[in-house]
Amino acid sequence: MKLVFATNNPHKLKELQQILGGQIQLLSLADINCNEEIPETKETLEGNAAEKSFFIYNKYGYNCFADDTGLEIEALNGAPGVYSARYAGEEKDAVANMKKVLDQLKEIKNRKARFRTVISLVIDGREEQFEGVVDGDILTAKQGEEGFGYDPIFQPEGCSQSFAEMDAQQKNNISHRGRAVQKLANYLKTLNSDL
Ligand code: IMP
């Protein structure tokens, strides 16, 4: 079965292909000659993920899945949420994004936050969504050098390290994306036997 993963991130594609195994052949956007910007105009992770997967399905005719992730901070009423990538501006600067969060939480005791990933899968025009969540706390300063985005300031519940102090395997085992992807993989395995 061929399935497009609507991402331009080769890292994500490789990781997913490993998890999904040989039964499913993942295609990148480059593989289907999609060089255009995929619209992401909705105000929820669910909306954006669905917008991306249906865009590919409707325009290019491939079964497809897309993901969208946000950091949701309780004391900031769920911000930055769907705006996580460009929280401090259009440059999508991770350091500036973290600084903005740390500044906003300076005097605030409630540091509770979660990462949430939504995956939208469209097969033959029918959509299924899969959610992965990891709860944790926002640290008071950056810790660690691994990972990307908000990893240095996020410490998952029950852990004594930030995401940026873990190796990729450790992080994938408990992360929002890892959990959502595992649900997708389980679903595809049940489907694959029918195809
Ligand atoms: P995307 O939907 O995967 O592109 O994620 C949107 C934004 O959320 C990214 O640009 C990062 O700022 C943030 N983000 C997503 N996943 C992670 C993660 O695993 N660690 C830290 N930040 C993340």
Side-chain angles (χ1 to χ4, degrees):
M1 177 192 189
K2 284 185 181 172
L3 198 54
V4 173
F5 183 11
T7 182
N8 285 311
N9 183 337
H11 222 79
K12 277 192 191 175
L13 198 79
K14 195 172 158 209
E15 186 183 300
L16 270 258
Q17 184 69 76
Q18 276 169 1
I19 294 171
L20 294 177
Q23 299 276 56
I24 286 158
Q25 187 193 347
L26 278 192
L27 301 176
S28 68
L29 291 173
D31 290 331
I32 61 165
N33 292 319
C34 169
N35 303 308
E36 61 188 313
E37 185 107 359
I38 302 177
E40 255 182 281
T41 61
K42 307 297 181 197
E43 290 183 358
T44 60
L45 300 176
E46 286 79 2
N48 272 342
E51 186 175 27
K52 289 188 276 188
S53 57
F54 274 110
F55 180 84
I56 297 298
Y57 179 78
N58 289 331
K59 188 158 178 186
Y60 292 83
Y62 285 92
N63 291 329
C64 173
F65 68 92
D67 68 341
D68 205 28
T69 295
L71 173 64
E72 300 175 337
I73 300 174
E74 196 172 277
L76 302 180
N77 299 316
V82 74
Y83 306 108
S84 293
R86 48 199 83 198
Y87 196 41
E90 286 304 312
E91 308 77 30
K92 298 188 181 175
D93 179 343
V95 174
N97 287 340
M98 284 189 283
K99 182 176 183 315
K100 183 168 175 180
V101 165
L102 291 177
D103 286 347
Q104 286 182 312
L105 293 184
K106 215 166 223 160
E107 309 294 333
I108 296 179
K109 284 219 169 64
N110 177 7
R111 317 286 300 185
K112 281 190 195 152
R114 63 180 192 170
F115 273 113
R116 199 162 70 86
T117 293
V118 175
I119 293 176
S120 163
L121 169 73
V122 178
I123 293 185
D124 298 336
R126 213 179 123 241
E127 190 201 17
E128 294 282 341
Q129 292 201 343
F130 307 91
E131 184 190 58
V133 173
V134 59
D135 289 306
D137 289 296
I138 301 297
L139 297 166
T140 50
K142 289 186 272 179
Q143 281 179 209
E145 306 286 334
E146 302 296 321
F148 71 103
Y150 298 88
D151 279 349
I153 61 167
F154 184 83
Q155 183 168 291
E157 214 168 64
C159 295
S160 55
Q161 294 172 306
S162 76
F163 263 163
E165 293 174 301
M166 299 178 182
D167 63 34
Q169 187 66 49
Q170 259 179 307
K171 180 183 164 188
N172 286 338
N173 282 342
I174 56 167
S175 81
H176 45 298
R177 202 171 7 263
R179 287 174 175 167
V181 162
Q182 202 50 61
K183 287 184 189 171
L184 169 74
N186 292 344
Y187 179 81
L188 288 173
K189 274 178 196 146
T190 63
L191 254 198
N192 212 27
S193 51
D194 303 337
L195 296 171

Coordinates of all heavy atoms in Angstrom, one line a residue, residues 2 10 12-13 19 39-40 60 76 87 105 108 127 144 152-153 161 182 192:
K2 N 0.6 2.2 -0.9 CA 1.3 3.5 -0.9 C 0.6 4.5 -0.2 O -0.7 4.7 -0.3 CB 1.5 3.9 -2.4 CG 2.5 3.1 -3.1 CD 2.7 3.7 -4.5 CE 3.7 2.8 -5.2 NZ 3.9 3.1 -6.6
P10 N 12.5 15.3 6.0 CA 13.0 13.9 5.7 C 13.3 13.1 7.0 O 13.2 11.8 6.9 CB 14.4 14.2 5.0 CG 14.7 15.6 5.2 CD 13.5 16.3 5.7
K12 N 11.4 13.1 9.8 CA 10.1 12.5 10.2 C 9.8 11.3 9.2 O 9.3 10.3 9.7 CB 9.0 13.6 10.0 CG 8.9 14.5 11.2 CD 7.5 15.3 11.0 CE 7.4 16.5 12.0 NZ 6.2 17.2 11.7
L13 N 10.0 11.5 8.0 CA 9.6 10.5 7.0 C 10.4 9.2 7.3 O 9.8 8.1 7.3 CB 10.0 11.0 5.6 CG 9.3 10.3 4.4 CD1 7.9 10.7 4.3 CD2 10.1 10.5 3.1
I19 N 8.9 2.8 11.6 CA 7.9 2.3 12.5 C 6.8 1.5 11.7 O 6.3 0.4 12.2 CB 7.2 3.5 13.2 CG1 8.2 4.1 14.2 CG2 5.9 3.0 14.0 CD1 7.7 5.4 14.8
P39 N -1.6 24.6 2.4 CA -2.2 25.5 3.3 C -2.4 24.9 4.7 O -2.7 23.8 4.8 CB -3.6 25.7 2.6 CG -3.7 24.8 1.5 CD -2.4 24.2 1.2
E40 N -2.3 25.8 5.6 CA -2.5 25.5 7.1 C -3.1 26.7 7.7 O -2.5 27.5 8.3 CB -1.1 25.3 7.7 CG -0.7 23.9 8.0 CD 0.6 23.8 8.8 OE1 1.7 23.9 8.1 OE2 0.6 23.7 10.0
Y60 N -4.0 15.6 -5.5 CA -3.0 14.7 -6.1 C -3.5 13.3 -6.2 O -2.9 12.4 -6.9 CB -1.7 14.8 -5.3 CG -0.9 16.1 -5.4 CD1 -1.3 17.2 -4.6 CD2 0.1 16.2 -6.4 CE1 -0.6 18.4 -4.8 CE2 0.7 17.5 -6.5 CZ 0.4 18.5 -5.7 OH 1.0 19.7 -5.8
L76 N -1.4 29.7 30.2 CA -1.5 30.6 29.0 C -2.8 30.2 28.2 O -2.9 30.5 27.0 CB -0.3 30.6 28.1 CG 1.1 31.0 28.8 CD1 2.2 30.9 27.8 CD2 1.0 32.4 29.4
Y87 N 5.4 31.4 17.3 CA 4.9 32.1 18.5 C 5.5 33.5 18.6 O 4.9 34.5 19.0 CB 5.1 31.3 19.7 CG 4.3 31.7 20.9 CD1 3.0 32.1 20.8 CD2 4.9 31.7 22.2 CE1 2.2 32.5 21.9 CE2 4.2 32.1 23.3 CZ 2.8 32.5 23.2 OH 2.1 32.8 24.3
L105 N 5.9 33.2 31.6 CA 5.7 32.4 32.8 C 6.6 32.8 34.0 O 6.6 32.1 35.0 CB 6.0 30.9 32.5 CG 5.0 30.2 31.5 CD1 5.3 28.8 31.4 CD2 3.5 30.4 32.0
I108 N 4.9 33.0 37.3 CA 3.7 32.1 37.4 C 4.2 30.7 37.9 O 5.1 30.2 37.4 CB 3.1 32.0 36.0 CG1 2.5 33.3 35.6 CG2 2.0 30.9 36.0 CD1 1.8 33.4 34.3
E127 N -11.8 10.1 6.5 CA -10.8 10.5 7.4 C -10.8 9.8 8.8 O -11.9 9.5 9.3 CB -10.9 12.0 7.7 CG -9.7 12.6 8.4 CD -9.9 13.9 9.2 OE1 -11.1 14.2 9.4 OE2 -8.9 14.5 9.5
G144 N 19.7 21.2 28.2 CA 19.9 20.2 27.2 C 20.1 20.8 25.8 O 19.7 21.9 25.5
P152 N 14.2 22.0 25.0 CA 15.0 22.4 26.2 C 14.2 22.9 27.4 O 14.7 22.9 28.5 CB 15.9 23.5 25.7 CG 16.0 23.2 24.2 CD 14.6 22.8 23.8
I153 N 12.9 23.3 27.2 CA 12.2 23.9 28.3 C 11.0 23.0 28.7 O 10.2 23.3 29.6 CB 11.7 25.3 28.1 CG1 10.8 25.4 26.9 CG2 12.9 26.3 27.9 CD1 10.0 26.7 26.8
Q161 N 14.6 14.7 33.4 CA 15.3 15.3 32.3 C 14.3 16.0 31.4 O 13.2 15.6 31.2 CB 16.0 14.3 31.4 CG 17.1 13.5 32.1 CD 17.6 12.4 31.1 OE1 16.8 11.6 30.7 NE2 18.9 12.3 30.8
Q182 N 2.2 5.7 16.8 CA 1.9 4.3 17.2 C 0.4 3.9 17.0 O 0.1 2.9 16.4 CB 2.3 4.1 18.7 CG 2.6 2.6 19.0 CD 3.6 2.0 18.0 OE1 4.7 2.4 17.9 NE2 3.2 0.9 17.3
N192 N -4.3 -3.0 6.6 CA -3.5 -3.6 5.6 C -3.9 -5.0 5.2 O -3.8 -5.5 4.1 CB -2.0 -3.6 6.0 CG -1.1 -3.4 4.9 OD1 -1.5 -2.8 3.9 ND2 0.1 -3.9 5.0

